Amino acid sequence: MHIAILGGGFTGLTAAYRLRVRGYKVTVLERELLAGGLASGFKAEGWDWYLERAYHHIFANDAEILGLAADSGFADFFFASPETASLYQVNDTLRVCKLDTPIDLLTFPLLSPVERIRAGAVLAGLKLSPFLPLYEKYSAETFLSATMGEHAYDVLFGELFRKKFGKYAENILSSFIWTRINKRTRNLGYVNGGFQRFIDHLITKIRKSGGVVRTGATVREISRNGNRFTVTVTTGKKTEILDADRVISTLPTPILTRLSARVLPKEYLKQLTGVRYLNAACLILESKQKVLPSTYWLSVCVPEMPMMVILQHTNMVDPKHYGGREILYVANYIDDGHKLLSMDAEAALEYYAPALDRINPAYRKTITGKHFFKAPYAQPIFDADFLTRKPDLQTPTPGLLIANLDMTYPYDRGTNYAVKLGNEVSAQIG
């Protein structure tokens, strides 16, 4: 049986690896020249490690990706506990506030003693609670405002939701915040050499076992030929037809609906086209100096600052791997039409410059390089409407399966859940 896998990110590569172990013929089709999706890496001059186009790490309890690494013979993850914090304005002064521990929360200056205790109790409950149907009945704003108080919600989470989800912030389900609190660990993992090394390892294992991974291969259409599928693929100027018994699509839902209009029922296509998304925008800066002396992850809770998070990658990874340069990510999720989408790296830096200058006035003068990456369909809107529209593994068309990152819900997108999907969809083939 021949399985065509559309998309060469972690989900597609995991499915291909698992299916090859079971003896199936597999062909992975990836549009980009480098597989891996947003976890794929690049190297600038003087670097000996890859760097992801969008920031990546794993949690210590990410069993799916660590299991795939162990099964495939990859042992190059390392773990550390870098400082994470949030940026607030306190009495007209910017202040980096750690909120990792109960002690941090109990000394947090923007809440009253009663609010701190109440918020701590709610967060502890979310950490210890299993997933409850309750979390899908209420928005995070409604649930957290009712349990910890409106002021505590707005200070601790309100700006984070507005930065991440924009105009949709008040509609995001409380299941989303449950996963963020329940899943998080202080111990974070990264790959020696960058995540691209793990991606390349999986590709090598697939190819050595007889599987096919094709990059630079753009899928144009999916159709049926009796009980089999035909996939129209363009590589460079060459167009060809690939026959397959099963098709696994890991492509973003809006792309799949365009490609499969001839094989999926109209009502199902209508359901899928209702899912809404935000784009990712990630500016990467190389510099001689850090903007953050010790903090790895800084959530930006200052409304007038336009970024969602800044991440000083070299507060977790030694800058020697990047030619001695410090690496900073400045990241946002943005709606269609946002001006960042039309900017290059230089313009994006100017957009963020006033905020960076407030954090560290000397930083910009030390910047030596900049890279700007944008990606559509990066963050689905996890509201009540999403629950009625998100795809399932099996589609109404027998033999056509979907395993894309919409389906990581209620968990946030990430490599661990991409691998989990790859495991699950490969198990559907029998």
Side-chain angles (χ1 to χ4, degrees), residues 253-254 256-257 264 267-277 389-392 395 402 406:
T253 300
L256 175 64
T257 56
L264 287 174
E267 283 302 309
Y268 186 69
L269 289 168
K270 183 178 179 181
Q271 170 192 322
L272 296 184
T273 52
V275 180
R276 293 169 294 180
Y277 300 87
R389 296 185 179 277
K390 67 181 180 71
D392 295 316
T395 73
I402 301 176
D406 292 359

Side-chain angles (χ1 to χ4, degrees), residues 42-44 47-51 78 190-194 317 321-322:
F42 70 100
K43 286 183 178 179
W47 297 6
D48 60 13
W49 278 26
Y50 287 102
L51 182 70
F78 71 90
Y190 192 71
V191 178
N192 285 305
V317 179
H321 300 299
Y322 311 103

Side-chain angles (χ1 to χ4, degrees), residues 16-242:
Y17 173 77
R18 298 299 190 193
L19 289 167
R20 278 304 305 146
V21 168
R22 292 167 56 196
Y24 288 98
K25 179 182 178 181
V26 299
T27 300
V28 179
L29 301 170
E30 168 57 46
R31 181 183 64 180
E32 302 295 333
L33 296 177
L34 201 62
L38 282 176
S40 64
F42 70 100
K43 286 183 178 179
E45 185 177 354
W47 297 6
D48 60 13
W49 278 26
Y50 287 102
L51 182 70
E52 294 71 46
R53 294 181 294 165
Y55 50 87
H56 277 73
H57 56 242
I58 68 169
F59 293 116
N61 57 8
D62 278 347
E64 302 281 352
I65 192 169
L66 292 173
L68 176 64
D71 292 347
S72 65
F74 187 83
D76 260 348
F77 279 94
F78 71 90
F79 287 86
S81 299
E83 178 182 294
T84 61
S86 297
L87 184 69
Y88 287 94
Q89 186 163 301
V90 182
N91 298 326
D92 297 324
T93 301
L94 291 181
R95 180 166 171 178
V96 174
C97 299
K98 291 195 293 183
L99 289 167
D100 282 338
T101 68
I103 297 299
D104 293 335
L105 183 58
L106 289 172
T107 58
F108 183 55
L110 294 180
L111 298 180
S112 70
V114 171
E115 287 175 325
R116 296 170 197 167
I117 293 170
R118 186 175 172 184
V122 173
L123 296 176
L126 289 168
K127 184 70 175 176
L128 298 173
S129 167
F131 185 80
L132 302 174
L134 169 73
Y135 299 138
E136 294 186 331
K137 293 182 178 179
Y138 300 100
S139 71
E141 180 181 35
T142 299
F143 175 79
L144 293 175
S145 293
T147 53
M148 65 174 56
E150 291 184 9
H151 181 249
Y153 161 75
D154 197 55
V155 169
L156 292 174
F157 295 106
E159 188 59 24
L160 295 180
F161 271 81
R162 288 186 286 271
K163 290 282 178 66
K164 187 174 180 71
F165 293 107
K167 64 186 179 184
Y168 306 106
E170 66 183 18
N171 299 322
I172 302 304
L173 296 173
S174 55
S175 51
F176 175 80
I177 198 65
W178 173 81
T179 64
R180 299 288 287 189
I181 301 301
N182 186 270
K183 176 63 180 172
R184 188 174 180 273
T185 66
R186 292 191 66 190
N187 211 22
L188 304 178
Y190 192 71
V191 178
N192 285 305
F195 276 81
Q196 188 65 50
R197 286 198 57 244
F198 188 22
I199 293 163
D200 291 343
H201 165 81
L202 290 173
I203 293 171
T204 298
K205 298 290 284 190
I206 293 165
R207 285 174 172 166
K208 283 188 174 180
S209 70
V212 175
V213 179
R214 293 176 53 183
T215 57
T218 301
V219 177
R220 300 297 182 185
E221 187 181 41
I222 307 166
S223 56
R224 292 296 294 267
N225 182 11
N227 293 326
R228 306 191 77 208
F229 293 89
T230 59
V231 181
T232 304
V233 184
T234 300
T235 306
K237 296 182 179 180
K238 180 182 178 182
T239 298
E240 60 185 300
I241 301 297
L242 182 75

Side-chain angles (χ1 to χ4, degrees), residues 279-300:
N279 307 277
C282 220
L283 177 65
I284 300 171
L285 298 172
E286 304 175 60
S287 63
K288 297 178 182 178
Q289 181 186 104
K290 296 177 180 179
V291 73
L292 301 174
S294 58
T295 305
Y296 165 69
W297 176 288
L298 188 68
S299 297
V300 179

